[in-house]
Amino acid sequence: MWRYVALFSGARKYCSTQSNYMLNELCIVVDKCDHVLGFANKKTCHEVLFGKSLLHRAFSLFLFQEDTSSEKNHRSLKLLVQKRSANKLTFPSLWSNTCCSHPIMNFPDELIESDAIGVKKAAQRKLFHELGINNTFVPLNRIHFLGRVLYTAPNEPCTQAAFAEHEVDYILVSVLDPVATRNLPDTDLMKLNPDEVSDARWMAFSDFSYMKCSPRDHISTSKTSDSDFCRSSITPWLRGLLARGLLQKLFSWAEASCGNHLQERFLTEDQSWDRTKIIHLSSEDVQ
C-alpha cells in the first residue's frame, strides 16, 4: 500500500512539473516565414483551438558520435535517440531524436537570430536538462544549423488530442569530439532526467532505413534490441525527416563534417543544405 502511494505521488509530481513548464515557459510565435509575431506560453502554443494551434519556433538537435565498431577506412556515425517520458504532456513514450524543444523568451539569449545562436543556446540548455550532457561536450562551435522544417501534427496517443505541434523546427547537428569522449562511458556522458526521458541509445542509420516507406504499424525488427522501436513509436517530426530522406542527409552531412575542415563547396548534393529555405513536411510525411 505504501509503495503504491509513493509511486503515485512521484508520478503526480512529475506531471505537475510538466504543467508548470507549459504555463511558465514563453515560446516564440512566428509566421510561416519564421518572422517573430509575439510570445505565448507552451500550453497556449500547443492547444488545439478551432482545429488549429499556434505556429511557434522550435529546434531538433541530432547528436552523433563515431561508431568505434565500424571499419577504420569508413567513417560511420551513430545518432543518440531518446524515449520521451510517459509524464510528457505531448507525445509521451515516443522515441525521438536526441533533444527537441523550444527557444523561450524566459532566456533572452535564446532570442538571438544571428547564426541561429538563440536556438543553439536553447539546445544546450535542454540537452543538459533532459539528458544531463554538459555543454563542454557540446560547445556552441560544435552545434551546426542546417535548415528548417515546418510541420503540424496532432498529439499522440489520441487520448492526448487536446494538444498538437505546429512548428518551424530548426535542424541542429553536432558530432561529439572523439578525442574528448574516447573511452568515456555513457554513464559519465549523460544522466537522464526521468521527468523528461525514460531511455536513450545510440543508433545507426540502418536501424531507421527499413522504416522509411513502412506504414504506421506495430511491426518490429530484429535490427534493434527494443521490440517497440518501429515507425509508429517515433515522433511525427522524426517520421517526416525520415520520409523525405532528410534523416539520411543528416547522417551524410555529419559524416562529412568529421574531417574538421568541412567546406560547403566540397559537399555533395546529398550532403548540402539550403539554410535560407523552410521545408514543408506534409501530413502524409509525419503520419
Side-chain angles (χ1 to χ4, degrees):
M1 177 66 179
W2 289 108
R3 177 177 172 80
Y4 172 79
V5 171
L7 289 173
F8 179 79
S9 298
R12 183 170 58 187
K13 180 187 70 174
Y14 289 142
C15 290
S16 175
T17 300
Q18 293 294 331
S19 297
N20 286 338
Y21 295 149
M22 285 292 228
L23 293 174
N24 297 324
E25 293 187 351
L26 298 177
C27 294
I28 304 169
V29 180
V30 296
D31 63 17
K32 291 185 178 181
C33 296
D34 195 29
H35 298 139
V36 177
L37 300 178
F39 307 92
N41 67 24
K42 286 177 68 174
K43 182 176 184 291
T44 300
C45 285
H46 292 85
E47 276 184 323
V48 178
L49 297 174
F50 306 106
K52 295 182 179 180
S53 56
L54 286 176
L55 182 61
H56 55 281
R57 187 174 292 169
F59 70 83
S60 287
L61 174 67
F62 294 76
L63 180 63
F64 294 89
Q65 73 169 0
E66 290 192 33
D67 182 2
T68 55
S69 65
S70 61
E71 298 178 8
K72 291 184 178 180
N73 60 350
H74 176 69
R75 192 180 300 275
S76 179
L77 299 179
K78 286 191 172 183
L79 170 67
L80 181 62
V81 298
Q82 64 153 279
K83 188 173 185 179
R84 294 165 65 86
S85 168
N87 299 316
K88 300 283 280 187
L89 298 178
T90 55
F91 307 97
S93 300
L94 294 187
W95 286 92
S96 196
N97 52 286
T98 312
C99 184
C100 334
S101 192
H102 314 84
I104 55 177
M105 185 188 178
N106 310 60
F107 297 93
D109 282 355
E110 296 183 8
L111 304 181
I112 300 173
E113 295 190 340
S114 175
D115 195 30
I117 290 295
V119 291
K120 291 178 183 179
K121 285 181 173 288
Q124 284 186 318
R125 172 177 59 83
K126 290 300 292 183
L127 193 62
F128 182 73
H129 174 230
E130 295 185 1
L131 295 156
I133 298 178
N134 196 285
N135 292 349
T136 57
F137 293 118
V138 190
L140 280 180
N141 63 359
R142 292 189 73 91
I143 301 177
H144 304 277
F145 163 55
L146 296 193
R148 293 167 290 180
V149 297
L150 190 156
Y151 75 96
T152 184
N155 199 12
E156 298 175 28
C158 59
T159 54
Q160 303 286 342
F163 294 117
E165 281 292 11
H166 190 194
E167 298 181 332
V168 173
D169 195 10
Y170 282 61
I171 305 301
L172 305 176
V173 171
S174 184
V175 181
L176 289 174
D177 184 345
V179 175
T181 58
R182 182 176 291 126
N183 300 322
L184 184 71
D186 285 347
T187 51
D188 289 342
L189 174 66
M190 66 184 96
K191 292 178 176 58
L192 306 187
N193 177 351
D195 190 22
E196 299 287 336
V197 180
S198 62
D199 195 4
R201 64 186 54 182
W202 297 96
M203 302 190 72
F205 180 71
S206 58
D207 296 319
F208 295 93
S209 58
Y210 78 97
M211 291 190 289
K212 182 176 180 180
C213 299
S214 300
R216 289 195 55 213
D217 52 30
H218 292 276
I219 298 175
S220 62
T221 174
S222 59
K223 288 180 179 290
T224 73
S225 60
D226 194 333
S227 61
D228 72 351
F229 193 88
C230 54
R231 186 173 173 83
S232 61
S233 66
I234 63 176
T235 53
W237 54 93
L238 190 54
R239 286 182 213 135
L241 294 176
L242 186 62
R244 294 288 291 273
L246 298 175
L247 184 61
Q248 183 173 12
K249 198 171 182 179
L250 285 173
F251 270 86
S252 296
W253 189 95
E255 289 170 0
S257 76
C258 287
N260 295 324
H261 299 289
L262 184 66
Q263 297 185 45
E264 292 294 331
R265 65 180 180 275
F266 295 138
L267 293 179
T268 67
E269 184 177 348
D270 289 338
Q271 297 166 343
S272 61
W273 289 75
D274 186 346
R275 293 166 178 79
T276 65
K277 292 184 178 179
I278 299 176
I279 300 171
H280 288 243
L281 303 180
S282 70
S283 57
E284 289 78 14
D285 291 333
V286 300
Q287 287 180 357

